[in-house]
Amino acid sequence: MSKIILSGDRPTGRLHVGHYVGSLKRRVELQNSGIYDKIFIMIADAQALTDNAEQPEKVRQNIIEVALDYLSCGLDPEKSTLLIQSQIPELCELSFYYMNLVTVSRLQRNPTVKSEIQMRNFEASIPVGFFTYPISQAADITAFQATTVPVGEDQLPMIEQTKEIVRKFNSVYGDTLVEPDALLPDNKACLRLPGIDGKSKMSKSLNNCIYLSDTEEEVRRKVMSMFTDPNHLQVSDPGQVEGNPVFIYLDAFCKDEFFAEYLPEYTNLEELKAHYTRGGLGDVKVKKFLNNVLQEELSGVRSKRKEWEKDIPAVYEILHKGSLKAREAAVKTLDSVKNSMKINYFDDHALITGQSEKYAQENV
Ligand code: ATP
Ligand code: MG
């Protein structure tokens, strides 16, 4: 069986370092590993519209931002197909048929949707499209026959939902769809990177992000203003590293070699954590170190972005070509779905001849 990746992001803002460690960096590594037959990376504009129906311009403007972030992180259009979800109408058709296989109560139990509904204060006024987005996500994944979906932890319930739809579809209509697996980051800190405000998830919607496209000065300012252990008031106080975003970011980004360069009194993160825990290490020193670590990781991304920003038409061309190519794959899947569901009337000669014979006999 082919090894195929599908992954993507909502164009609701520029991408942040949570996306980077949770999914984007992994996609680039997988792309360059050469072990995947096909890689589809989707800008999920139709999904973004499910909770931004009245802000079409926001979604429209952020398509290029996400594409620039992709390219500057190393996604290579020669190796990965970059596409825009709304340009593949087959995805809507698949969603429509999958809706018959999922109950309202099953959607209501989805923990990510539950917390997102709460976060957006939808209460009873949830748009139907938003409520059903896990089904549309199943359509995205299965349309490309994806076997592997590199995502952050918050997406696990979506992959579970997709697996259920695939099993149900295959058991009712015969083996047609491929069951995907989520691929989570190996590093625990990257599963769900917290926001700079200490909230459990860095998220575009919560305005607590360090963006990949932030300038050096913006990154420095954000790092220096980060939430840390609220009980660590004096340098001499013992501090807590668990749940402390500054240390979680270091867990996610720090490599031992950064110590030699920026903080030679320590050889590794464990030593730094031990000092913070026993007291005598100030937040400012740790934050300055984190800033250096992040700048190391982000400066290459930033300079690549500057290059791509000089040729915006080329970026749109990449998305256009990618969407056309992706559509070919989705058309094939939709054809086999319709065959399995027996809604392929005009291609089904047996149906037409069988019925002609039936009526010929009845009318003798
Ligand atoms: P929105 O607030 O619009 O939902 P978002 O910041 O949650 O935006 P998405 O586009 O929904 O971003 O997520 C894209 C991918 O990035 C998903 O795989 C998701 O798991 C991952 N991701 C998003 N935020 C984080 C985070 N803080 N830590 C790790 N992974 C993340
Ligand atoms: Mg999200």
Side-chain angles (χ1 to χ4, degrees), residues 10 12 19 47 112 116 119-120 133 154-155 201 203-205:
R10 294 153 39 95
T12 47
H19 297 119
Q47 190 189 115
T112 301
E116 288 178 337
M119 199 169 93
R120 288 163 176 75
Y133 92 74
D154 65 320
Q155 292 302 308
K201 183 174 173 279
S203 171
K204 284 168 279 180
S205 312

Side-chain angles (χ1 to χ4, degrees), residues 64-222:
I64 190 76
E65 299 298 341
V66 173
L68 285 167
D69 286 330
Y70 282 169
L71 295 165
S72 50
C73 285
L75 284 175
D76 174 355
E78 297 290 317
K79 299 180 185 156
S80 299
T81 305
L82 309 186
L83 64 125
I84 303 180
Q85 186 184 25
S86 61
Q87 305 306 299
I88 325 287
E90 288 71 21
L91 300 175
C92 300
E93 244 182 293
L94 287 174
S95 301
F96 192 69
Y97 297 129
Y98 296 171
M99 281 187 191
N100 304 333
L101 308 175
V102 181
T103 63
V104 170
S105 70
R106 175 63 185 85
L107 285 176
Q108 278 166 335
R109 282 201 308 276
N110 183 312
T112 301
V113 176
K114 258 193 200 167
S115 71
E116 288 178 337
I117 286 172
Q118 217 176 14
M119 199 169 93
R120 288 163 176 75
N121 293 321
F122 277 148
E123 290 163 12
S125 56
I126 316 159
V128 174
F130 184 82
F131 182 61
T132 57
Y133 92 74
I135 302 176
S136 111
Q137 217 163 303
D140 305 333
I141 295 169
T142 55
F144 301 107
Q145 323 253 350
T147 50
T148 309
V149 190
V151 280
E153 193 183 36
D154 65 320
Q155 292 302 308
L156 278 184
M158 308 304 162
I159 310 297
E160 200 41 51
Q161 178 78 79
T162 302
K163 283 171 177 272
E164 282 174 31
I165 290 174
V166 169
R167 285 185 213 127
K168 180 89 186 188
F169 189 99
N170 288 347
S171 79
V172 176
Y173 304 113
D175 243 356
T176 314
L177 301 174
V178 177
E179 206 174 304
D181 283 310
L183 188 65
L184 291 177
D186 298 327
N187 181 338
K188 205 169 136 260
C190 303
L191 288 173
R192 187 183 294 250
L193 200 76
I196 53 171
D197 56 358
K199 289 219 176 84
S200 70
K201 183 174 173 279
M202 180 178 288
S203 171
K204 284 168 279 180
S205 312
L206 295 174
N207 207 3
N208 59 4
C209 308
I210 294 178
Y211 293 98
L212 293 172
S213 50
D214 278 345
T215 62
E216 193 175 338
E217 182 45 31
E218 279 165 336
V219 173
R220 196 195 64 78
R221 196 176 39 74
K222 288 182 182 177

Side-chain angles (χ1 to χ4, degrees), residues 2 24 53 60 65 76 102 139 159 182 218 227 260 269 297 312:
S2 299
L24 204 44
R60 180 182 168 84
E65 299 298 341
D76 174 355
V102 181
I159 310 297
E218 279 165 336
F227 179 90
L269 190 52
E297 193 82 27
I312 297 297

